[in-house]
Amino acid sequence: MPITREERLKRTALLLTEEQMEKLRTAHVMLLGLGGVGSYAAEALARSGVGKMTIVDNDDVAVSNLNRQLPALSSTIGRLKVDVVAERLRDIAPDMQLTAVNAFYLPENPVPIPDDCSVVVDAIDTTSAKLHLAEVCMQRGISMISCMGMGNRLDPTKIVIGDIYETAACPLCRVMRRELRKRHIPALRCVYSTEPALTPRTDETAETRATGRPSPGSVSFVPSVAGLYLAYEAVRIITQTELSEK
C-alpha cells in the first residue's frame, strides 16, 4: 500500500500544530542551487512536509562533488543534479508537487518565480544572481533566505542565521552588504559562517572555476549544515513558528 502523507509526517506532527502542518502542505518553496548546501536544504524541506517545490540547477554531477553533495554518487556522475535530486525527492515524498528546472539563474536570464511562491531559498554561488533574486523578492513581497560563503571552512558550529547587515568574517557577505545598500534593500535573512575562511592548499592538480580562480576547499559537514539551516528558516517562515533564533 502507498504510504500516506500523514504516516510519513507522523513524527513531525508531534512538534507542530495542525495549522502549521497545513501551512507546510499548502506552501510552495522555490529552491535555487542543488550543490552541497542546496541538496540538503531540498531534502530537508521535502521531509518536513512542504507540499510544493520548484528546484533549479543546471550543473552535472562531478567526481569532485562526491565529498559533500547528496546527488553525487559513483552511479550518478555526469547526470544532471536536478534530475537526480528530483528522483530522490519523489521517492521521499510522492505526494509533493515537484517541478524540476534545468537552468542557471542569471539577472539577464532569470528563472521566473512562481506566482504562488511562499519562500525563495537561495543556495547559488553567483553574487549577481543573489542580488537580483533579493531585488525581485523585495519587489514582490516574497520571503527569501540566502546562503553566504561556506567554502574553505571546517567548523559547522560557526554557522548562524541572521540579517545580512549583522554579518562579519565573510567576504561574500561584505560584497552583498555593499551591493544591497546600493539597491536600497534594507534587510536579507541569511545563513553565514563566522569562521574566517581558510587558505586552501593548491598544486598543479587543483581545480579551477570558470573565473580562472581555484575552487574552494570543502568538507561534508559544513555545507550540509548550512543547507539544513536554510530549511529550518524556511519552515519557520512558513509556519510562523517562534523557534529560537540562531
Side-chain angles (χ1 to χ4, degrees):
M1 291 180 59
I3 298 170
T4 67
R5 176 183 170 84
E6 289 70 26
E7 290 173 317
R8 178 167 64 82
L9 297 171
K10 186 174 182 179
R11 294 291 186 94
T12 305
L14 296 176
L15 297 176
L16 299 179
T17 67
E18 289 185 14
E19 180 183 5
Q20 290 165 340
M21 293 298 293
E22 180 63 12
K23 286 180 177 179
L24 284 170
R25 187 189 69 80
T26 59
H28 185 174
V29 175
M30 184 178 189
L31 189 151
L32 300 101
L34 294 171
V37 174
S39 59
Y40 279 86
E43 180 155 324
L45 288 165
R47 293 186 185 275
S48 297
V50 168
K52 194 173 183 180
M53 196 185 309
T54 297
I55 56 174
V56 181
D57 197 292
N58 82 324
D59 281 345
D60 296 336
V61 178
V63 173
S64 60
N65 302 153
L66 285 167
N67 77 322
R68 69 197 184 284
Q69 299 186 15
L70 277 182
L73 305 168
S74 297
S75 60
T76 61
I77 300 300
R79 292 188 59 196
L80 288 170
K81 291 178 187 177
V82 73
D83 289 344
V84 178
V85 172
E87 288 175 6
R88 187 176 175 96
L89 298 186
R90 289 185 177 116
D91 203 11
I92 293 167
D95 51 280
M96 182 176 68
Q97 298 178 55
L98 180 65
T99 301
V101 181
N102 174 26
F104 187 61
Y105 190 103
L106 287 172
E108 60 271 22
N109 188 30
V111 179
I113 299 175
D115 291 338
D116 63 344
C117 185
S118 310
V119 181
V120 168
V121 177
D122 160 34
I124 53 183
D125 297 328
T126 310
T127 306
S128 60
K130 287 178 176 291
L131 291 166
H132 188 268
L133 270 174
E135 281 189 287
V136 173
C137 286
M138 184 184 71
Q139 291 165 2
R140 291 181 51 184
I142 300 171
S143 296
M144 175 175 166
I145 174 73
S146 181
C147 188
M148 298 294 114
M150 293 296 153
N152 295 329
R153 275 127 175 136
L154 283 173
D155 189 349
T157 70
K158 300 298 184 183
I159 299 172
V160 295
I161 301 172
D163 186 79
I164 189 68
Y165 293 109
E166 301 169 353
T167 58
C170 174
L172 175 57
C173 289
R174 182 170 61 250
V175 173
M176 289 290 292
R177 290 195 303 268
R178 183 186 69 226
E179 296 302 319
L180 288 169
R181 286 192 184 98
K182 292 179 182 178
R183 292 161 174 78
H184 307 291
I185 298 175
L188 176 64
R189 200 74 175 152
C190 65
V191 174
Y192 65 100
S193 176
T194 60
E195 178 187 12
L198 303 173
T199 301
R201 290 191 295 275
T202 59
D203 56 32
E204 65 278 2
T205 67
E207 288 188 341
T208 57
R209 293 178 287 189
T211 58
R213 292 179 297 173
S215 296
S218 62
V219 291
S220 62
F221 41 79
V222 170
S224 55
V225 170
L228 296 177
Y229 273 33
L230 285 177
Y232 159 83
E233 184 67 6
V235 169
R236 190 189 70 80
I237 290 169
I238 291 165
T239 61
Q240 300 177 359
T241 307
E242 294 302 323
L243 301 177
S244 59
E245 297 295 332
K246 298 296 180 182

